[in-house]
Amino acid sequence: ASLLRCIRSWLRRGASPPHREPLKPLKYVGWVLAGDLNSLPPGVPPSRHLHASEAALYGEAETPIATLYNSKLGTPVLPPLQLADPATAAKWFSYKPFEASSADRTIDHAFVGGQFAVASAKVVPVPGWPSDHAPIVMDLRRR
């Protein structure tokens, strides 16, 4: 959560981390930010997919990751409208609690920017995968 606070702060200021160049030069190179960000996607109330005890862990009025989804600096790899739509959200679930039989939420996210654009992306559940997070596989192309 502290990393997300830092990223949100940098995005709000339009600057990059201390002692680095401003973010504007990133448009000239390709970059990827991906990982377990422990935040539900924007527009997804915790109570939609989770039991009350689990939903309480995501009590934010607005998910901390909304800043990245709404930023013009990069492009979300996972499609925001599908993530928010109950009919299509399960396709993008990336987190499966160890005691569960299937993934039940998306808390892993990926963003690209600069010279990269997303050609395709998918979450790939892998039987026997030694993690509670499924990989996000993406094909990127240069702009």
Side-chain angles (χ1 to χ4, degrees):
S2 62
L3 175 61
L4 274 178
R5 280 193 293 275
C6 289
I7 293 170
R8 287 171 57 189
S9 173
W10 299 331
L11 290 172
R12 283 190 192 117
R13 291 190 330 248
S16 60
H19 313 297
R20 303 208 190 258
E21 297 295 318
L23 288 174
K24 290 179 184 176
L26 288 177
K27 69 182 180 180
Y28 301 111
V29 297
W31 58 267
V32 175
L33 170 67
D36 172 7
L37 301 181
N38 280 326
S39 290
L40 296 172
V44 177
S47 59
R48 179 180 297 159
H49 305 293
L50 308 175
H51 297 288
S53 61
E54 287 276 331
L57 299 173
Y58 300 93
E60 306 98 6
E62 179 182 9
T63 180
I65 198 120
T67 303
L68 289 172
Y69 274 90
N70 298 328
S71 169
K72 300 211 184 307
L73 294 172
T75 302
V77 170
L78 305 181
L81 295 177
Q82 289 185 30
L83 293 170
D85 183 347
T88 56
K91 172 182 177 179
W92 303 102
F93 287 171
S94 60
Y95 176 73
K96 179 185 122 4
F98 285 114
E99 68 280 353
S101 60
S102 61
D104 65 3
R105 69 197 89 164
T106 300
I107 60 173
D108 303 277
H109 303 272
F111 302 86
V112 300
Q115 294 296 311
F116 287 150
V118 180
S120 66
K122 60 186 171 184
V123 174
V124 182
V126 180
W129 187 252
S131 173
D132 51 347
H133 298 267
I136 298 172
V137 177
M138 61 189 114
D139 290 318
L140 304 178
R141 63 176 168 76
R142 285 190 65 147
R143 294 179 194 251

